[in-house]
Amino acid sequence: KVIQEIHIKNRVAWLNHSDANPHAFIDLVNKYKNIKLWFSGHFHLSHNYPDSISSVGGTSFVQVGVIGECNRDGNRQSRLLRGDSDGYQLYTVDHDTGGLRLDLAARWVDPGAPTPLIPEEELVCDPDSGWLCSQMDCKVGDNSSGFVTWYAVGHQTILARHTNDLLIEYDMATAAPIGLVTKVPESCRIELVRSDGSSAAAEDGSDVAELRVYEASGVLREVVGRNPSGSFYKIYKPNQWAERRQKKMEKAAAVTAPAAAAAGGVAAAVVAAAVAEAEAKEPVAVLGSMVD
């Protein structure tokens, strides 16, 4: 829920590997109740945020911090998991002080997810800055006092215009960013319109078909319509993992195609010869069946 520009522009792993469905992982843990902990990281954030551990059903989603110096909130932390046949304990390791802090504890047989322990040094975000409340990049700038303008575009997602010119789309159910729509300079204005070109009027934004970005002079700068999934975010860089897999499949197909064609020709010839040989033989009726 706190994310760097490059991650939201190129989309993070949980989006890239969910087939454009941000609820895919939630559906997975709801189906398989034995999934108790789900870890993720690479955001260079500490464990001191209220949502660094969040629960859905019986699963706790755990954010993992960073050990190195490139962090976005001044904390160097990682997780330590201890467990046995009865249950587990999840700790935060402070790599500046060497301290150990208990964040979560539960038994495996517990039906629901446990409630995380609130750290004394909890970092609470400024509501005005939306869900982006840490530094946007490692030790560069501070977004904690930024102002956000919200745009309702339906029941499932909402758009947020941040002070760094980013227009970001969030999933309402998980309060998580699902993609970058576009960059809107401070001097520009945004208009939400219906499919007939008139201004959107529904309070929840359900009648919004596209958004238009206008320059201060009134000149139309950009028009962004809904994508095939019904959202507004753009795919600025395709999923590299999917691209590599596709190229690998195409390369394998190119290599095997000639051999398959040759084998197919041989097989066809063998089948034709067998059919001709069978037709040349006199069939004999045995108990109502035709056999050679």
Side-chain angles (χ1 to χ4, degrees):
K1 298 178 183 179
V2 274
I3 193 167
Q4 290 171 293
E5 176 183 348
I6 187 173
H7 290 152
I8 191 61
K9 183 175 182 179
N10 293 337
R11 313 194 84 215
V12 290
W14 75 278
L15 293 171
N16 276 334
H17 299 288
S18 62
D19 293 327
N21 174 20
H23 297 155
F25 293 155
I26 304 299
D27 294 341
L28 190 64
V29 297
N30 285 336
K31 180 178 181 181
Y32 299 101
K33 304 299 183 182
N34 58 324
I35 302 177
K36 297 297 183 179
L37 294 167
W38 193 311
F39 294 88
S40 62
H42 199 66
F43 294 112
H44 294 255
L45 294 168
S46 70
H47 309 158
N48 297 346
Y49 295 92
D51 55 6
S52 65
I53 300 178
S54 56
S55 301
V56 176
T59 304
S60 294
F61 289 82
V62 182
Q63 170 70 28
V64 181
V66 60
I67 298 175
E69 294 294 336
C70 186
N71 56 73
R72 296 162 60 197
D73 52 22
N75 296 293
R76 298 170 56 237
Q77 298 177 341
S78 63
R79 301 284 188 184
L80 173 65
L81 178 64
R82 290 173 175 168
D84 54 27
S85 59
D86 293 327
Y88 66 85
Q89 302 83 42
L90 182 65
Y91 299 85
T92 283
V93 179
D94 189 320
H95 292 275
D96 286 320
T97 66
L100 201 64
R101 181 186 77 204
L102 180 64
D103 293 329
L104 197 67
R107 298 183 304 159
W108 299 119
V109 296
D110 289 344
T115 301
L117 302 176
I118 301 176
E120 294 181 1
E121 57 275 26
E122 181 182 31
L123 299 176
V124 179
C125 305
D126 181 353
D128 285 339
S129 65
W131 289 307
L132 296 186
C133 54
S134 74
Q135 296 179 19
M136 288 301 292
D137 292 290
C138 294
K139 299 181 180 179
V140 177
D142 184 2
N143 194 43
S144 60
S145 60
F147 180 78
V148 172
T149 303
W150 298 95
Y151 296 89
V153 290
H155 299 292
Q156 296 186 347
T157 67
I158 190 170
L159 305 183
R161 180 180 178 181
H162 294 268
T163 52
N164 56 1
D165 297 344
L166 297 182
L167 183 64
I168 296 174
E169 187 166 20
Y170 290 89
D171 175 63
M172 295 288 285
T174 59
I178 59 174
L180 174 65
V181 179
T182 187
K183 284 196 171 186
V184 183
E186 185 178 358
S187 60
C188 294
R189 66 179 178 87
I190 295 175
E191 181 183 357
L192 305 178
V193 300
R194 298 171 173 172
S195 57
D196 62 3
S198 61
S199 297
E203 185 176 352
D204 62 0
S206 57
D207 59 344
V208 177
E210 64 182 30
L211 63 91
R212 298 175 181 177
V213 181
Y214 289 91
E215 302 280 2
S217 62
V219 175
L220 181 62
R221 173 189 176 94
E222 184 179 7
V223 176
V224 182
R226 292 186 182 273
N227 59 34
S229 67
S231 298
F232 288 93
Y233 66 82
K234 299 177 184 177
I235 302 297
Y236 288 85
K237 184 174 180 58
N239 183 351
Q240 293 177 325
W241 176 78
E243 283 187 327
R244 287 196 297 269
R245 183 177 62 176
Q246 181 63 30
K247 289 180 180 179
K248 186 176 181 180
M249 293 173 60
E250 292 174 355
K251 184 177 180 180
V255 171
T256 59
V266 172
V270 171
V271 170
V275 171
E277 181 179 359
E279 290 178 346
K281 293 182 178 180
E282 181 71 20
V284 179
V286 178
L287 297 178
S289 300
M290 302 299 293
V291 298
D292 292 338

